[in-house]
Amino acid sequence: MEVLCREYWHANQEGSGPLLAATISPIAPPNYLNRLDAIYGDTNAASISRDISYSLTKTANAAIQYPNPEINSWTEIYSAYWYAIGAILAAEHPTTKPDWTKVYEAWKDVANTVIKGYSGGVLEAWTLPVLYTAGKHLRAFAIKADENARASGGDTSFNAGGLQEDIAGDFGKNEKLEDAARVINRMFTLCISDRAPLEESRKWGLYYTTNLLFKTYFKLNSIGLSKNILRALSASKTDMPTLEAFPRSHIVTFKYYVGVIQFLEEDYAQAEENLTSAWHMCHRSATRNIELILTYLIPTLLLTRQQLPSSRLLSPYPSLGSLFAPLTLAIRIGSLSAFDTALAEGEHEFVKRRIYLTLERGRDICLRNLLRKVYLAGDLDEEGKRNTRIYVKDFAAAIRLGESGASGEGMDVEMDGSAGENNDEVECLVANMIYKNLMKGYISRERGIVVLSKNGAFPGTGI
């Protein structure tokens, strides 16, 4: 166990949590690719605990004395880690069928021994990255185990009648991830319930474990459980450091998930605040994270400020460009048919990302821009100002053109309103625009005209 214990000594001498966390990493570093093999081959199941305990007491500096409880705790952690390495190496062996369920169970033992070390007051707050590493990989192995279970098909002999798809088709499909969520929740409780002074408190690990729970709940499609975490954080706010005192990476991730939760609850004003903050704070090189933030910030700003993403914003992110560029162009030119086509073509991806219903509301902005074009195409009065009285039948013709295609080829649009949109339907659409403050004015049904405001007829557009 020379390799493992040498790393442990070095991390303790440096007082570095990340270095200590690296000692239980299930991934070999690039400069030492056979690290896991070296550790696993250095002992056996019969003598693992004795070998680790003996090696840990052989410090590099005889003047450094480690208390027995700490040695005992790390002996348990490294023993569980050794068994987990064995399961990982077996799963990754090219000649054997990978058993990620066994890997998950072995790593769960690692996580539980780490939790035990903290709950017993043995591990200090500076070692919190160890907790992060245990939780992060627990979630990853749980996902792999569930994927492995789904791929193998499982045992369905109990349901020979053919009703499995209807009754129990989803049974246990995320069994390990649900179990991992419970373990990570214990990590969260471990941090939030600590009553030590802030300098020595586990509360500094609160937002990392919170973010890990958010990721897990989102993966499980149990977003409602995230609200329980937010309520717990709110209740403990007086005993916690301010959010700004935490590492920037923790803040960005937290604000992103809170913003998405608010987005899904249609609290768009708060979602805009948190997502915008996350976007500004996110490191520019973290392109994947920026893409995730913009995926929800763009639809949010479309509703709250009627703002469209520029080509300059989308150009560094091709996947976002393919998602939003067609919709953005359709809204910008006021083409209802192009908007409907873009929404239909991207429906699968929009639904998957939970933004379809929000983007669908963007049709109002598209319609607003179309009606604005009718206003701009109108005659000028004697003072050189736009005519603010527009016939409903003109709006009806424009809507019919917009829904059938920009060119309108082969269409017979009658300006008296007998063809195309029924005037009552058009009046309803215009009234809806006025109600949503996308237009300013009123409808004169007796004369069949829409009287627009002389100042700011279309708020937010400069007209």
Side-chain angles (χ1 to χ4, degrees), residues 226-389:
S226 301
K227 298 178 189 176
N228 298 334
I229 303 301
L230 292 176
R231 280 193 287 269
L233 289 174
S234 179
S236 302
K237 190 171 292 185
T238 56
D239 300 327
M240 290 166 47
T242 61
L243 179 60
E244 292 72 21
F246 285 81
R248 190 170 183 173
S249 59
H250 297 192
I251 300 172
V252 171
T253 307
F254 178 74
K255 284 183 174 288
Y256 163 72
Y257 278 107
V258 171
V260 173
I261 292 168
Q262 292 164 339
F263 174 90
L264 297 175
E265 292 180 336
E266 300 186 1
D267 185 358
Y268 296 114
Q270 287 299 313
E272 178 190 346
E273 180 180 337
N274 281 296
L275 290 171
T276 302
S277 178
W279 181 46
H280 287 312
M281 293 184 69
C282 190
H283 198 281
R284 294 300 98 182
S285 64
T287 54
R288 175 57 181 160
N289 292 343
I290 294 175
E291 281 188 15
L292 290 172
I293 295 169
L294 289 177
T295 298
Y296 296 94
L297 182 57
I298 288 172
T300 299
L301 291 176
L302 178 63
L303 291 190
T304 58
R305 299 179 182 270
Q306 291 85 55
Q307 287 184 357
L308 296 173
S310 64
S311 56
R312 181 182 176 185
L313 175 66
L314 296 177
S315 58
Y317 316 107
S319 61
L320 284 183
S322 62
L323 271 181
F324 292 114
L327 275 175
T328 299
L329 178 61
I331 293 172
R332 203 180 300 278
I333 65 176
S335 174
L336 296 175
S337 63
F339 179 89
D340 293 339
T341 300
L343 195 65
E345 290 178 349
E347 180 177 356
H348 175 74
E349 197 64 31
F350 294 146
V351 171
K352 179 182 176 182
R353 299 180 186 224
R354 302 182 178 96
I355 59 176
Y356 179 85
L357 294 177
T358 305
L359 289 174
E360 193 176 35
R361 298 182 185 182
R363 199 175 195 273
D364 290 337
I365 313 298
C366 186
L367 178 59
R368 188 274 308 273
N369 290 346
L370 177 62
L371 301 183
R372 178 175 173 269
K373 282 187 172 183
V374 176
Y375 171 70
L376 292 175
D379 297 330
L380 301 177
D381 59 18
E382 296 177 355
E383 299 179 359
K385 295 182 178 180
R386 297 284 176 191
N387 182 16
T388 58
R389 298 171 184 269

Side-chain angles (χ1 to χ4, degrees), residues 26-100:
I27 302 172
N31 60 342
Y32 193 4
L33 294 177
N34 65 335
R35 175 180 180 271
L36 299 185
D37 296 272
I39 293 173
Y40 190 70
D42 204 24
T43 186
N44 55 64
S47 59
I48 174 65
S49 296
R50 183 175 65 253
D51 288 348
I52 291 176
S53 180
Y54 174 75
S55 297
L56 286 177
T57 56
K58 289 173 54 182
T59 61
N61 186 339
I64 299 177
Q65 297 295 325
Y66 294 100
N68 284 334
E70 185 174 344
I71 294 296
N72 294 338
S73 180
W74 280 103
T75 298
E76 291 183 14
I77 292 171
Y78 285 144
S79 295
Y81 176 59
W82 183 85
Y83 282 106
I85 289 176
I88 292 168
L89 293 176
E92 293 179 343
H93 198 279
T95 61
T96 59
K97 184 179 179 181
D99 187 353
W100 290 106

